């Protein structure tokens, strides 16, 4: 018995498979733009550092 040849790029159906393809997850959401969160962290660090610099200069 010969195997059935499928055209390139086409996947033959699996025997006995009842599962469907998994849906793709949504885009990254809040993690889609990591530079935004990095900027918030850096700005917060700079604000805290500026607070202490102002206290030192004020003495």
């Amino acid at each position: 018995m010969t195997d059935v040849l499928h055209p390139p790029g086409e996947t033959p159906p699996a025997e006995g498979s009842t599962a469907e393809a998994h849906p793709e997850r949504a885009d990254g959401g809040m993690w889609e733009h990591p530079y935004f969160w990095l900027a918030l962290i850096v700005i917060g660090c700079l604000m805290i550092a500026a607070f202490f610099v102002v206290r030192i200069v004020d003495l």
Side-chain angles (χ1 to χ4, degrees), residues 4-24:
V4 178
L5 297 177
H6 296 280
E10 189 174 316
T11 306
E15 292 183 17
S17 175
T18 59
E20 296 181 7
H22 297 289
E24 288 188 30

Side-chain angles (χ1 to χ4, degrees), residues 4-5 7-8 12-14 17 21 23-24 28 30 33-34 36 39-40 43 47 49-51 55-56 58:
V4 178
L5 297 177
S17 175
E24 288 188 30
M30 68 181 263
H33 305 286
F36 171 74
L40 281 180
I43 290 170
M47 289 176 64
F51 171 77
R55 285 191 62 186
I56 291 171
D58 193 38

Side-chain angles (χ1 to χ4, degrees), residues 48-59:
I48 292 171
F51 171 77
F52 286 105
V53 167
V54 168
R55 285 191 62 186
I56 291 171
V57 169
D58 193 38
L59 292 177

